[in-house]
Amino acid sequence: MSIIKLLLKEVEQEAQITRNMLSIVPNDKYDWQPHPKSMSIQKLSNHIAELPGWLTMAVTTDGLDFAANPYEPTFHNNTADVLEVFENQLADGRANLESMTEDELSKPWTLRNGDYILSAMTKYETLRMTLAQTIHHRAQLGVYLRLLNIAIPGSYGPSADELEKMAQFA
């Protein structure tokens, strides 16, 4: 199996887990944050929804310069809109990844802020970092939801909430 096909499979697996997590964010909790230094649920959910767009960026560009292209996040206040952003970014990222060749995976991709280089990787490494960022921030969201006493779905197996529910029927 090609590396691109493996990446596409991983994108789909992670997308389903992410979709499940984003779909349970209560609309009345978008302003909540666990600590003053932490992102609000609104900012975190919107960031997670936008991350599949980095797949497109990794495939179609040689890098990102924050000095030339300042980050302007979206700020949706409800789950339906956040999921719509996620699905649109995912569809675009998937389509671009499908159009990529194996040879392009080894091309360089640089993240910078003007002359300051934040990271210099291959396009493959950038694609993997995008998936890792999604997993990382999705786990943050899971902690936020747990702190709000919201039952969370499992990621790579059943969550404690799902196990508890299963035990009730055993």
Side-chain angles (χ1 to χ4, degrees), residues 21-27 29-30 41 45 79 141 145 150:
M21 188 69 74
L22 287 173
S23 70
I24 63 169
V25 175
N27 288 333
K29 299 297 183 192
Y30 272 77
I41 285 182
S45 296
T79 298
L141 181 60
L145 296 173
I150 296 167

Side-chain angles (χ1 to χ4, degrees), residues 47-65:
H47 182 56
I48 293 167
E50 292 177 335
L51 279 170
W54 280 67
L55 297 171
T56 296
M57 195 170 11
V59 172
T60 63
T61 70
D62 293 327
L64 172 63
D65 182 353

Side-chain angles (χ1 to χ4, degrees), residues 1-15:
M1 187 180 288
S2 75
I3 293 172
I4 292 173
K5 285 184 181 177
L6 289 169
L7 284 167
L8 285 164
K9 181 178 178 185
E10 190 173 2
V11 165
E12 290 306 315
Q13 290 169 335
E14 295 303 330

Side-chain angles (χ1 to χ4, degrees), residues 112-126:
R112 66 177 64 238
N113 189 7
D115 291 335
Y116 182 74
I117 295 178
L118 299 162
S119 65
M121 303 176 272
T122 64
K123 288 186 178 229
Y124 170 79
E125 291 167 320
T126 304

